[in-house]
């Protein structure tokens, strides 16, 4: 562990420090990412009854039968983007609590994020606005359909599991763009691919569990 990371752990609150130690142990060694995750008040992104578990290595409820992914999964997906993607414009399918959105907004010039559950969309939009984050465009809609203006993306990150990638998403990804998405296979996993013409090159993968990617939107 570098001196800089060691100092970060010493400065962090005990619960957060344990989370950071776990991330570093699992190979997440990006200092700026770790500093950002130490700074973000993760307890504000989960249901109040679970706030005491906010920094634990588990997924937690955020309402509407949805979850915030465990810190390692969020950190790993973000680290893959930092390692492989152009940090211009990114599409996030599944805003959820907005925690992953915050991380993306710090590193990317522009974030487009889609949430099918209106209540979660409203909460996340207000939460990030109150945090002073202004480079995110929010949409209450169906992630299967992609972004309505068909903007070309440098990266796409999907935070729900499906058996295949919706074609509307692949059509929006630039050449050499990066796709991160959980895939329901014999062993559910999350993968990172680079688009090379009409082919896909797998760059990374790891076991993971996610809620399913559902079609349509919920107005309640």
């Amino acid at each position: 562990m570098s001196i800089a990371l060691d100092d970060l752990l010493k400065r962090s609150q005990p619960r957060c420090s344990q989370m950071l130690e776990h991330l570093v142990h699992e190979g997440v060694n990006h200092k700026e990412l770790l500093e950002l995750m130490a700074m973000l008040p993760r307890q504000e992104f989960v249901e109040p009854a679970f706030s005491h578990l906010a920094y634990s290595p588990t997924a937690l409820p955020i309402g509407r039968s949805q979850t915030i992914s465990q810190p390692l999964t969020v950190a790993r997906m973000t680290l893959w983007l930092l390692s492989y993607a152009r940090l211009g414009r990114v599409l996030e399918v599944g805003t959820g609590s907005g925690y992953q959105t915050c991380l993306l907004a710090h590193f990317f010039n522009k974030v487009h994020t889609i949430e099918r559950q209106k209540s979660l969309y409203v909460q996340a939009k207000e939460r990030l606005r109150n945090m002073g984050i202004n480079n995110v465009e929010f949409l209450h809609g169906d992630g299967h359909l992609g972004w309505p203006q068909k903007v070309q993306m440098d990266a796409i990150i999907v935070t729900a599991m499906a058996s295949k990638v919706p074609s509307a998403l692949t059509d929006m990804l630039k050449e050499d763009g990066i796709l991160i998405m959980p895939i329901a296979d014999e062993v559910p996993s999350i993968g990172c691919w680079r688009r090379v013409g009409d082919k896909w090159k797998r760059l990374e993968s790891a076991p993971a569990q996610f809620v399913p990617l559902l079609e349509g939107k919920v107005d309640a």
Side-chain angles (χ1 to χ4, degrees), residues 11-176:
R11 296 196 309 267
S12 302
Q13 296 179 357
R15 289 189 304 166
C16 183
S17 179
Q18 292 174 4
M19 178 189 75
L20 296 175
E21 286 179 346
H22 177 64
L23 296 179
V24 172
H25 181 264
E26 294 295 330
V28 179
N29 55 8
H30 192 286
K31 181 174 179 291
E32 192 174 357
L33 173 58
L34 292 171
E35 287 177 339
L36 184 57
M37 293 185 70
M39 179 188 70
L40 274 180
R42 190 172 164 87
Q43 68 276 7
E44 295 184 11
F45 293 84
V46 304
E47 289 188 331
F50 296 90
S51 61
H52 64 293
L53 298 173
Y55 296 93
S56 62
T58 58
L60 294 172
I62 61 171
R64 309 298 297 184
S65 300
Q66 302 299 300
T67 60
I68 181 174
S69 297
Q70 59 176 294
L72 177 58
T73 300
V74 175
R76 182 173 280 150
M77 291 189 296
T78 308
L79 183 61
W80 288 348
L81 288 173
L82 296 175
S83 299
Y84 299 113
R86 296 179 295 263
L87 302 180
R89 195 182 294 267
V90 60
L91 172 65
E92 177 189 37
V93 178
T95 313
S97 68
Y99 183 79
Q100 177 78 72
T101 320
C102 287
L103 298 180
L104 297 175
H106 180 81
F107 294 107
F108 280 82
N109 294 333
K110 187 72 174 183
V111 179
H112 301 261
T113 185
I114 304 172
E115 173 56 51
R116 68 185 297 269
Q117 300 271 3
K118 187 172 184 179
S119 60
L120 295 181
Y121 155 82
V122 171
Q123 289 173 5
K125 188 174 183 178
E126 181 179 2
R127 184 176 287 135
L128 269 65
R129 183 182 62 209
N130 291 339
M131 296 175 68
I133 296 173
N134 56 20
N135 63 331
V136 177
E137 287 193 32
F138 293 83
L139 174 68
H140 172 223
D142 184 348
H144 285 83
L145 305 179
W147 198 258
Q149 283 75 39
K150 305 303 179 186
V151 181
Q152 289 294 290
M153 302 291 174
D154 295 292
I156 296 175
I157 177 171
V158 182
T159 59
M161 185 168 286
S163 58
K164 63 179 182 179
V165 186
S167 59
L169 298 183
T170 59
D171 291 345
M172 300 183 68
L173 194 61
K174 292 180 180 178
E175 176 70 15
D176 292 327

Side-chain angles (χ1 to χ4, degrees), residues 157-215:
I157 177 171
V158 182
T159 59
M161 185 168 286
S163 58
K164 63 179 182 179
V165 186
S167 59
L169 298 183
T170 59
D171 291 345
M172 300 183 68
L173 194 61
K174 292 180 180 178
E175 176 70 15
D176 292 327
I178 298 299
L179 170 69
I180 294 178
M181 182 173 176
I183 295 295
D185 208 338
E186 292 183 6
V187 178
S189 64
I190 186 163
C192 174
W193 293 269
R194 184 187 302 280
R195 181 176 186 174
V196 183
D198 59 353
K199 298 184 183 300
W200 297 89
K201 180 181 179 182
R202 183 188 285 264
L203 304 173
E204 304 276 0
S205 65
Q209 293 288 341
F210 280 82
V211 295
L213 181 65
L214 302 177
E215 294 188 51

